[in-house]
Amino acid sequence: MNQTDVLKKDELKQELDALEIQLFRMQENMRKIAKKNEIISIDQTKHGGWVVIYASKVSNKYQIMLHDCWKPYRGKWDAAIETTYKDQHTLHIADIKGEENKGYGSVLMKHIKEIAEEENVQSITGDIVMRDFDHVERLKHFYRKHDFDVKIDYEEQYGAIIW
C-alpha cells in the first residue's frame, strides 16, 4: 500500500466518523424536536451537513425551522422561514432568519415550496424592506436562484418577490 492509498483510507475513515456523529445527533435531535414540533424531513445542506426540518403552524402562520445535526438540539433552531397565509392561494414570506452562506435558506426554501405545492398554494410572495437593503443584492440573487420574480425600487428602498 502506497502513501496515497493510506491518505485516502484515513480521509475515508474521517468522513465515516463525521457521518456517524451526525447520524447519532440526528437521532437524538429528532426525538427532542418531535416532542413539540412536527418533523417534516431530513435534508443536506450545500456543504453536505445533515439537518432536521420541522414546522409549527398556528392559525394562518406557518414557520419552517431547521436544526443542524453537527450539534445537539437545545430548543433553538439554526434557521427559520416565517410565513403567513394571505389567502388560501397565497403564502407570504415574512422573514428568513439564520446564519448566512450555510445553505440553510435554500433548504428551507425548497421545503416551503414543497408545502405550497402540497397545499395547492399558487403563489408565494414577500417584501424586501428598508432593513434588508444592506444585503439587497444577496437577497436578489437568492430569490432568483429559487425561481422568484424580483422587483426592486432602489430609490424607495423597497422590493417585492413572487413565485
Side-chain angles (χ1 to χ4, degrees):
M1 193 180 304
N2 63 33
Q3 189 172 356
T4 304
D5 291 338
V6 171
L7 286 174
K8 286 181 183 177
K9 188 175 179 181
D10 287 345
E11 288 173 13
L12 185 58
K13 180 168 178 7
Q14 287 176 354
E15 284 181 38
L16 287 172
D17 288 346
L19 182 58
E20 185 176 9
I21 290 167
Q22 284 189 80
L23 289 174
F24 172 76
R25 286 256 167 79
M26 183 187 304
Q27 181 182 17
E28 292 293 309
N29 292 344
M30 288 178 72
R31 193 173 73 243
K32 290 177 182 177
I33 291 168
K35 290 179 181 178
K36 294 184 180 181
N37 298 282
E38 173 193 0
I39 294 178
I40 295 174
S41 181
I42 57 170
D43 210 332
Q44 276 188 295
T45 66
K46 66 182 179 182
H47 303 294
W50 287 96
V51 293
V52 177
I53 313 300
Y54 55 106
S56 172
K57 188 174 184 180
V58 179
S59 172
N60 71 331
K61 296 182 185 215
Y62 202 54
Q63 183 175 23
I64 307 290
M65 297 154 284
L66 169 153
H67 184 78
D68 195 318
C69 291
W70 280 110
K71 58 186 184 272
Y73 177 74
R74 291 197 164 74
K76 295 186 179 182
W77 44 259
D78 290 311
I81 184 168
E82 297 172 2
T83 62
T84 305
Y85 285 91
K86 285 174 94 172
D87 56 49
Q88 66 183 17
H89 300 292
T90 308
L91 197 55
H92 185 79
I93 297 172
D95 205 358
I96 301 175
K97 300 175 181 177
E99 226 177 306
E100 298 172 15
N101 299 319
K102 293 247 183 189
Y104 296 160
S106 290
V107 171
L108 291 169
M109 188 60 72
K110 171 184 150 188
H111 288 282
I112 202 69
K113 287 164 68 176
E114 285 176 4
I115 288 166
E117 289 173 356
E118 288 168 8
E119 295 186 6
N120 202 28
V121 170
Q122 283 144 24
S123 64
I124 300 173
T125 62
D127 300 314
I128 296 173
V129 296
M130 193 178 293
R131 74 171 185 265
D132 296 324
F133 267 76
D134 65 336
H135 58 279
V136 72
E137 293 304 314
R138 189 171 52 83
L139 285 174
K140 197 163 78 169
H141 171 77
F142 174 79
Y143 286 117
R144 285 187 174 151
K145 176 173 79 171
H146 293 285
D147 301 319
F148 280 77
D149 288 327
V150 181
K151 296 193 179 3
I152 305 286
D153 183 334
Y154 289 92
E155 195 172 296
E156 295 293 322
Q157 291 193 330
Y158 176 79
I161 60 164
I162 188 164
W163 174 80

